[in-house]
Amino acid sequence: MIPRYNRPKIEKIWALENKFKIWTDIEILIAEKLSDIGVIPIIAAQEIRKKAKFNVGEILKLEKQTKHDVNAYIDNVCKYIGKHSKYFHHGLTSSDIIDTGFSIQLKQTAEIIHKELSILLKNLKSKSLKYKNTLMIGRSHGIHAEPITFGLKLASFYEEFKRNRKRLADAIDEVSSCA
């Protein structure tokens, strides 16, 4: 991402540190669920929760050797888990982790944008009322038209952004499930 065009909160979501943290959280939850249903030993899930960690630099070095991001990640985390590492990533595919993690990152990002849109809507509404009597030139087909007010122009943006916020809310719901 190009830093000058980005917001730090969003950039942090897409950083490798956050991506691998999400992957680790997913792997831990899956191990716990597998232990609940008797597929892996309970002690293995407990050890995975307690010891699972990663090092981004080490993962990047491993990835150069393995040519596979998830394999490099798994190898790195398993190094920290120890003898119960054979139950880490048990029964999963790379896509299970990548797709789920990506959905979480999309949701995290969209929630920030949704919150910012709410602030924008509040400001647009306030300004549209403030300037409801401020005349300006209307436009039609790219040329001057009948006069309107600046408040009316802002009110139309307000309504458009309300629809956009609803669309974004629907998109958040959609990416929140990895079906």
Side-chain angles (χ1 to χ4, degrees), residues 1 14 22 32 50 54-55 59 65 75 88-89 94 97-98 107 116 120 123 125 127 134 151 153 164 171 173 178:
M1 296 190 173
W14 295 95
I22 291 168
E32 288 174 343
K50 188 165 97 177
F54 58 87
N55 180 296
I59 293 170
Q65 296 168 359
D75 289 349
F88 187 77
H89 198 73
S94 298
I97 300 305
I98 292 171
K107 183 178 181 186
E116 295 290 325
L120 175 63
N123 287 324
K125 184 175 184 178
K127 299 290 186 203
T134 303
K153 186 73 169 173
N164 290 335
D173 288 343
C178 298

Side-chain angles (χ1 to χ4, degrees), residues 8-168:
K9 285 190 236 177
I10 291 176
E11 190 170 27
K12 189 176 177 182
I13 290 169
W14 295 95
L16 290 175
E17 184 77 29
N18 189 55
K19 177 176 88 168
F20 295 134
K21 182 192 177 313
I22 291 168
W23 287 8
T24 304
D25 292 344
I26 294 166
E27 293 277 8
I28 289 168
L29 291 170
I30 290 170
E32 288 174 343
K33 184 48 85 174
L34 290 175
S35 75
D36 288 347
I37 61 174
V39 174
I40 69 171
I42 292 171
I43 188 68
Q46 291 169 341
E47 288 292 302
I48 288 169
R49 172 161 293 282
K50 188 165 97 177
K51 295 182 177 179
K53 62 181 180 176
F54 58 87
N55 180 296
V56 175
E58 292 173 7
I59 293 170
L60 295 176
K61 284 180 189 172
L62 286 168
E63 187 177 352
K64 287 179 183 175
Q65 296 168 359
T66 64
K67 307 283 191 249
H68 195 282
D69 57 347
V70 179
N71 282 344
Y73 162 77
I74 292 167
D75 289 349
N76 181 251
V77 176
C78 285
K79 178 179 91 170
Y80 295 102
I81 295 171
K83 77 175 192 174
H84 291 102
S85 64
K86 66 183 176 182
Y87 298 108
F88 187 77
H89 198 73
H90 184 81
L92 301 173
T93 67
S94 298
S95 292
D96 293 330
I97 300 305
I98 292 171
D99 295 351
T100 305
F102 186 63
S103 290
I104 291 168
Q105 287 175 291
L106 286 172
K107 183 178 181 186
Q108 289 173 341
T109 302
E111 286 173 341
I112 290 171
I113 295 169
H114 192 270
K115 185 177 178 182
E116 295 290 325
L117 275 175
S118 295
I119 294 167
L120 175 63
L121 281 167
K122 182 179 173 186
N123 287 324
L124 280 172
K125 184 175 184 178
S126 169
K127 299 290 186 203
S128 69
L129 293 170
K130 180 178 179 179
Y131 296 109
K132 69 180 180 182
N133 295 317
T134 303
L135 291 175
M136 67 174 276
I137 296 171
R139 306 220 24 113
S140 178
H141 303 288
I143 58 171
H144 291 19
E146 294 293 320
I148 62 170
T149 67
F150 186 53
L152 177 63
K153 186 73 169 173
L154 291 176
S156 70
F157 290 147
Y158 172 79
E159 289 300 323
E160 182 178 346
F161 275 100
K162 268 183 27 183
R163 291 188 300 275
N164 290 335
R165 184 177 63 173
K166 170 73 169 91
R167 289 183 192 107
L168 182 59

